[in-house]
Amino acid sequence: MTQNTPLSPLSPLFPRPLHHVQGVTHRVLSAAQLRARGVSAAQTSSQCLPGGPWQHLLPGVYLLHPGPPSGQERLRGALLYAGRPPASSLRTAPEPMDAGFGEAMVTGQAALALHGFAAAPDLGAPHRIDVLVPRTRRLRSTRFVEVVRAASALPAPVWLAGVPVAPVERALADAVAGLGEAEDVSRLLTEAVRAGHSEPGAVVRELSVAKLLGRPAVVGAVEALLAAGRAVAEERLYAMVREHGLPEPLWNVDLRLPDGPELGGVDAYWPDLAVAVELDTRAPRFGAPSQGRRDGNHGNRGPDRLEDPQWSAYAAKRDRLERLGVTVVHLTPRKLREAVEQQATVVRTALMAADDREPAAYVVVLPR
């Protein structure tokens, strides 16, 4: 009669993956997801014994293989830890858009890596992962997960690589909050603009909301951000003129009356047609600018816009030029990025309408 060999106390009760979870798409599941698939807490614990086929990745989150977690598995694990949805919501949840993450989303440098930032750390490296959650969540940071609570309503996430990710501006603010070196902050902010991820105004606005603009490491970085934003906007304007067959203007010139006061600088000027283009590269340091502005034309002259001192200066200069018969076309970097053909049409229309207007007053053109 053959005698059965007793199991070691450390031997896993289920040396092979449970049939309940053999077909799962992802090898990271929460305790709630395992229960929804018929795996008991005792079975889960036995699978995670030393030498077993599973691992306890985070509180309430399990890695269903014995090797080190990949970057994607760490992301999913962090979101499952922060999301913790009820098990009843998981039985019929489609993947990937409802994968048990609740309202949690990746933010900070991990989010920037998903957005494609070269300056962000490699997701495969063992860096911390910031996870943004509602401010009412009672959840502690643990292991490689840093919990970030939203001060107000959560932004709408962007889905990248199968996980919910904070928008670029919010991810930047959360990343900057954890950096102490001005060089590191400047590298991230400058890349946001130069690589076309965002516009300076949107970035500065989010930094202002996060109360980060007064930090020494941020002040100089914002100056570099604005300079980079200005340069990128000018490059887009040059490309628009040349690629859409517009006549070549005089670039970056100052206008003034003969023997009279200065009228201000413009980014492009067609002297024979008395048409000027001005780029709005303002990035207010405190508070958000008014919404509802109309880009690619003379703008909204409502009282809310005039509360902005920078806009008041723009408006005053434009009014002086238009009283002299100079048509001023107001363009924004965002519209040049997202609707360049439409902006080229706006400028072309202003140039074609020059013959129908009264001749403009003579103005002196000087290089800036």
Side-chain angles (χ1 to χ4, degrees):
M1 181 174 175
T2 304
Q3 186 175 6
N4 293 330
T5 304
L7 287 173
S8 164
L10 299 181
S11 298
L13 297 179
F14 302 92
R16 296 180 182 178
L18 296 174
H19 67 86
H20 307 71
V21 294
Q22 286 179 346
V24 296
T25 304
H26 302 287
R27 305 298 288 171
V28 182
L29 293 177
S30 68
Q33 288 173 322
L34 286 168
R35 287 195 302 271
R37 289 168 168 82
V39 183
S40 70
Q43 290 173 319
T44 299
S45 296
S46 68
Q47 292 289 93
C48 295
L49 290 173
W54 294 359
Q55 301 177 59
H56 196 188
L57 183 64
L58 289 164
V61 180
Y62 300 89
L63 183 63
L64 308 190
H65 64 75
S70 67
Q72 183 71 12
E73 288 169 340
R74 293 171 77 250
L75 284 173
R76 294 185 63 83
L79 288 165
L80 288 172
Y81 168 71
R84 292 191 179 181
S88 61
S89 69
L90 301 170
R91 293 191 174 93
T92 59
E95 293 185 356
M97 300 306 288
D98 186 1
F101 304 146
E103 295 182 274
M105 65 187 77
V106 181
T107 190
Q109 297 215 50
L112 296 180
L114 288 167
H115 280 292
F117 276 66
D122 184 357
L123 285 172
H127 295 283
R128 79 178 193 190
I129 295 174
D130 294 332
V131 182
L132 184 63
V133 300
R135 60 188 176 91
T136 55
R137 284 302 311 274
R138 297 291 182 263
L139 195 67
R140 293 183 178 181
S141 299
T142 183
R143 301 183 189 176
F144 58 85
V145 178
E146 184 73 21
V147 175
V148 180
R149 289 180 179 82
S152 56
L154 288 172
V158 179
W159 283 80
L160 300 171
V163 296
V165 181
V168 167
E169 296 79 14
R170 178 58 200 254
L172 273 172
D174 289 333
V176 167
L179 296 175
E181 297 296 328
E183 182 179 354
D184 295 333
V185 175
S186 181
R187 187 181 301 113
L188 284 178
L189 298 188
T190 302
E191 183 179 350
V193 173
R194 288 201 176 277
H197 294 293
S198 186
E199 301 296 339
V203 173
V204 174
R205 200 153 48 240
E206 195 68 44
L207 294 174
S208 176
V209 170
K211 297 180 172 55
L212 296 171
L213 290 179
R215 291 192 178 187
V218 176
V219 174
V222 168
E223 295 295 336
L225 167 74
L226 298 178
R230 178 77 192 179
V232 169
E234 289 178 345
E235 289 169 6
R236 291 176 186 161
L237 180 59
Y238 300 153
M240 182 195 78
V241 167
R242 287 158 189 166
E243 293 173 8
H244 288 79
L246 298 175
E248 191 77 8
L250 301 176
W251 295 107
N252 296 313
V253 294
D254 285 319
L255 306 179
R256 68 174 178 84
L257 290 172
D259 301 322
E262 293 184 357
L263 300 171
V266 294
D267 295 284
Y269 186 58
W270 290 264
D272 294 340
L273 302 172
V275 174
V277 165
E278 186 160 35
L279 288 172
D280 180 0
T281 55
R282 292 171 301 133
R285 303 302 181 86
F286 302 100
S290 301
Q291 301 300 314
R293 114 175 133 227
R294 297 179 301 181
D295 297 321
N297 55 27
H298 293 182
N300 187 336
R301 303 191 189 204
D304 56 340
R305 287 300 296 270
L306 297 181
E307 291 175 2
D308 179 354
Q310 287 181 293
W311 175 249
S312 296
Y314 273 109
K317 176 170 61 177
R318 183 196 61 224
D319 288 342
R320 286 195 302 269
L321 290 171
E322 291 188 342
R323 283 198 299 269
L324 295 170
V326 177
T327 298
V328 181
V329 180
H330 196 249
L331 302 180
T332 66
R334 180 177 178 179
K335 285 294 186 180
L336 282 174
R337 182 182 70 174
E338 298 178 357
V340 64
E341 186 173 349
Q342 179 192 57
Q343 302 309 290
T345 300
V346 170
V347 175
R348 183 178 291 107
T349 300
L351 295 173
M352 293 174 62
D355 291 337
D356 298 329
R357 298 192 300 267
E358 293 292 328
Y362 177 72
V363 297
V364 177
V365 182
L366 299 171
R368 257 203 265 191

